[in-house]
Amino acid sequence: MTFSLAVKNELARIFDKNKCCNLAELSALIKSSSSIQITGGSFKLTFVTANAAVARKVIKFLKVLFEIQSNVMYFKRRCFKKKNFYVLRILEHSSVLNLLVKLGIWDNNINLPVVDITKVLNRDCCFKAYLRGVFLASGSINDPKSGYHMEIVVNNTKYAKSILNLMDKLGVDAKTCMRKNKSIIYLKDSERIIKVLSIIGAHSALLDFENARIYKSVRGQVNRLVNCETANLNKTVNAAVRQVENIRYIADTIGLDNLTPALKEAAELRLNYPDVGLKELGELLDPPISKSGINHRMRKLEEIASSLKNKEFKS
Ligand SMILES: [Zn+2]
């Protein structure tokens, strides 16, 4: 099951207590996913969805709120992306007209569709329900494991604008763009997506989203730590290689016997153990000395080697 489908299945099971909110959600569902056929002044309505749970929710809304029994047909489309569709049809003119007028989709006085959606949003409680309806009808969300993206696809720019306004009122700052003549309202920021999931009531999807986000961020931190460790290890190896080169140079020029006993001891130990860290090298001495103590001796050896190199260069 895709993450989008899981979110929709969760949302399809939510029924608000208030009738005003149910009407707002149904209005969004019908406006976003239906077509109206007008023949000889008679209205027929067709609602289409790819999601069985969404179809069931619309059937229940129609029955409870309007006492409308809708005919449901199930289509298997093999040719186009193999998506299956549920088609709900309301054929009786007076039922369709009453429904559309009550849902603020059709203005009976001027006999035209209503562009403004605020008619069904006269109470603050209905804003969230309307957005839920819009998402159920035309929204989708990526699996957070692969990336953060939520979008709502609508047919006209005016409707897209009113959804943007609605989201703005709910405190969500979304973006829009056009794709194949459709308006896309989208979010790419995980915080904003979480906010929308919370607003529309997808609480268990929200938990999954949060978990995926935390997992991603911890994995990122671990990767950074590993990279940092690798960098440190490279530094240690490079330092040891340089120390061995210096000691060999001293041995070849003035000989290790010309060093102080402490430096000679450290130099011989480094040659015997070229690949251990400084701390461990210090502990191998008898008596053992601290990391900073052995580091001091290595620096001394480096100074001697470079002054010898300088002399050779000058002579
Ligand atoms: Zn309400």
Side-chain angles (χ1 to χ4, degrees):
M1 194 195 295
T2 63
F3 190 70
S4 224
L5 185 59
V7 173
K8 289 194 182 187
N9 285 347
E10 185 182 0
L11 294 178
R13 288 194 300 268
I14 299 172
F15 286 90
D16 287 313
K17 288 192 298 277
N18 299 343
K19 193 182 172 188
C20 56
C21 301
N22 291 331
L23 285 170
E25 186 171 347
L26 182 61
S27 176
L29 281 158
I30 299 283
K31 192 175 173 78
S32 307
S33 278
S34 297
S35 58
I36 307 166
Q37 297 82 44
I38 310 171
T39 40
S42 176
F43 284 44
K44 288 183 177 65
L45 186 130
T46 308
F47 173 86
V48 183
T49 177
N51 185 305
V54 173
R56 278 196 295 273
K57 186 170 203 177
V58 172
I59 291 167
K60 190 170 172 184
F61 273 148
L62 289 172
K63 202 170 154 191
V64 174
L65 301 168
F66 292 93
E67 293 175 350
I68 293 176
Q69 294 290 113
S70 48
N71 295 319
V72 188
M73 287 173 282
Y74 176 64
F75 286 98
K76 277 193 172 200
R77 283 200 195 166
R78 293 183 191 283
C79 48
F80 182 67
K81 285 186 182 173
K82 291 192 173 176
K83 263 190 177 175
N84 301 331
F85 288 95
Y86 298 85
V87 178
L88 274 65
R89 301 203 74 194
I90 310 168
L91 304 172
E92 203 209 342
H93 169 72
S94 59
S95 300
V96 176
L97 192 61
N98 179 46
L99 176 74
L100 295 177
V101 171
K102 292 247 168 72
L103 293 181
I105 297 171
W106 190 267
D107 188 330
N108 214 11
N109 297 321
I110 52 169
N111 223 20
L112 282 172
V114 183
V115 182
D116 189 12
I117 64 168
T118 52
K119 279 204 164 183
V120 281
L121 299 173
N122 38 20
R123 290 199 211 175
D124 284 2
C125 62
C126 309
F127 289 15
K128 297 174 178 185
Y130 195 91
L131 188 58
R132 187 190 304 131
V134 170
F135 184 83
L136 277 173
S138 36
S140 66
I141 179 169
N142 275 17
D143 190 322
K145 286 182 203 121
S146 60
Y148 305 134
H149 184 90
M150 180 187 247
E151 69 175 35
I152 290 162
V153 183
V154 294
N155 280 324
N156 75 67
T157 47
K158 275 187 183 165
Y159 189 40
K161 224 173 232 173
S162 35
I163 294 168
L164 262 188
N165 279 339
L166 172 68
M167 291 174 86
D168 189 48
K169 279 182 188 155
L170 289 165
V172 181
D173 185 17
K175 292 193 164 59
T176 47
C177 66
M178 294 296 288
R179 191 196 299 147
K180 291 179 190 163
N181 280 333
K182 297 200 182 242
S183 291
I184 318 285
I185 299 154
Y186 68 94
L187 296 167
K188 286 209 162 284
D189 175 84
S190 62
E191 288 292 335
R192 287 175 196 169
I193 294 173
I194 283 171
K195 188 159 189 187
V196 172
L197 289 174
S198 162
I199 287 170
I200 59 183
H203 300 298
S204 89
L206 192 154
L207 282 181
D208 291 341
F209 192 96
E210 276 284 28
N211 283 341
R213 194 167 73 138
I214 290 164
Y215 176 78
K216 258 186 169 179
S217 109
V218 169
R219 198 180 51 187
Q221 278 173 28
V222 168
N223 281 343
R224 275 193 293 281
L225 282 175
V226 168
N227 288 342
C228 191
E229 287 274 305
T230 313
N232 281 338
L233 191 65
N234 283 339
K235 246 200 241 165
T236 309
V237 171
N238 290 340
V241 167
R242 208 177 56 238
Q243 286 155 12
V244 169
E245 276 172 8
N246 288 332
I247 294 163
R248 291 231 169 94
Y249 189 81
I250 296 169
D252 290 346
T253 48
I254 57 169
L256 297 183
D257 287 334
N258 278 317
L259 297 169
T260 63
L263 287 183
K264 187 188 169 193
E265 188 190 17
E268 281 172 341
L269 194 69
R270 177 44 100 197
L271 290 180
N272 288 335
Y273 299 95
D275 49 10
V276 300
L278 278 182
K279 188 167 177 274
E280 215 180 330
L281 199 65
E283 282 162 2
L284 285 168
L285 279 172
D286 189 21
I289 62 167
S290 66
K291 185 182 169 184
S292 71
I294 192 81
N295 189 35
H296 178 73
R297 292 191 196 181
M298 287 301 146
R299 235 185 285 149
K300 273 266 166 222
L301 288 167
E302 185 160 11
E303 276 169 32
I304 294 168
S306 57
S307 80
L308 287 171
K309 281 176 195 168
N310 270 339
K311 264 187 205 161
E312 188 189 50
F313 181 70
K314 279 174 188 163
S315 60

